[in-house]
Amino acid sequence: MAGLTEIVKQLLGKNAMCDHCLGRQFAALGTGIENGHRGMVLRQGALLDAHGVLKEKAEALSDPLVIASKEFVIGQAASGHPLAMRLAKQLNVVVPGTGVERNAGQTTTRDVAIPPAVMGGVITDADLKIPWEWDGCALCGGVFSRRVQDIAVGLARHLGSSIEFHSFLVGSRFSTSVLEREEEMRVERDLKWGELIKSHFNRFVGAAISKALDKPVDFKNPDIVLLFSIENKDSIGLEEQINPYFIYGKYRKLVRGIPQTHWPHRACRGAGCEGCNFTGKQYQESVEDLITPPFLSHTGGTALRFHGAGREDIDALMLGEGRPFVVEILNGKKRTLDYVALEAAVNAAGGGKVEVAGLRPSTNDEMQALKGEAPDTRKRYKATCTLEKPIDDATLMSIKEQLEGARIDQQTPQRVAHRRADKTRHKHVYAVTWERVENPLEIVFYIEAEGGTYIKELISSDEGRTRPSISGLAGQKMACKTLDVLEVRK
Ligand SMILES: [Zn+2]
Ligand SMILES: [Zn+2]
């Protein structure tokens, strides 16, 4: 394998490129430096190497190494690289199309701007525009430049005036021709240390935006993704992709007959039809429907996803402390919220049917845990039951003793069999107490059971599909008339 300097000289001899794009071809070599500086070091090393050859063999004009070195310096000088131009001048070689002197007293037309330092004194970083940026770069055409960094910062800053974000990630789209050109070159030159232009660009502008806006780049969980589309150095677009965020709370449902979440009309699947009066809803209201508008108006979001820690039946109340839930705000423009004002607005919208409390910021992890935790959660219910005949205390005591701590086998209830897999679930009952009411053919049970227990079936037995059941233990038919959830806890 040829030495690195030789590879760089051959590469630059065929493909004119800026320091950033040169360095990117060797991104896997060295660590802790950016591609621009990597490219700068490689190019200057190659120029110094060529200079050494030309000094050593000044008289051997037909030596292939001398010819190649001279061509390399000329090529680099012709592209306007200041160090190469200075070398060309010192070596008194002809550089077409530049202001470098051909012979004493004669100069060609200057159609390339030459920094004054080229002609004397020490070349500074500013003269070199280190790392060397070049609009003539065959790979990026000047996209890797301070100017483009400034454009990207300006676009991000402008976006920040209408969308609140505290962290971000940069993504980019280049035209396929740009990607293909680089890929072809790598195959042709057998370069195997390169990095994708997209990842390089994302880091290049990401660092500039982070510094200018004083916001961190977050690879795992950014508030927003800034997606740049790069046509060329003068045509750069920005689209944003706002990531969802989460709000935790507990809700109480104070009326019967409304489901927890939005329920599309079965007949039209939510499209709207005569049967649902073109609302698309099976139930006109749900906990989710009632609380959605204030959440959206306070966050500037476009939609909301409701995640409850389990759910009560449509005809059950949710009382006590309330049931934990997390809402996921999609496309929220605001992230710093007044939770007290939000809570008041949600409760006003709830119209006495739904109340929320304890709103606070949440996370995706908490939402996932909340959805997954139903089996481990304990819930306390109040079930008002109808009886065939009055029931005595001894029977009630026997039911309590046999159920507390018992494992219940529940085959999927007939009433939900159309939407749940038919299987047998094992649930635990922790506590059973009762309260007599005026009507001797009714009784109230307070049941504490594992999350996911079908309480109505625990009472009725669902024609023997739940075993044991209160009905079975009582030796008479019983039905759950009303069911309220009093408490949901871990
Ligand atoms: Zn470039
Ligand atoms: Zn409909």
Side-chain angles (χ1 to χ4, degrees), residues 264-281:
H265 187 211
R266 280 200 197 96
C268 66
R269 292 183 186 164
C273 66
E274 265 179 39
C276 60
N277 207 16
F278 299 99
T279 59
K281 297 174 182 177

Side-chain angles (χ1 to χ4, degrees), residues 1 10 54 59 79 91 100 102 136 154 158-159 169 203 241 279 299 304 355 392 400 421 451:
M1 191 189 84
Q10 285 178 16
L54 294 173
E59 306 310 318
S79 64
L91 296 164
V100 176
R102 285 169 184 277
H158 179 70
L159 193 70
L169 186 61
R203 211 170 48 245
Q241 181 192 308
T279 59
T299 59
L304 169 156
E355 280 176 10
D392 60 36
K400 176 183 169 70

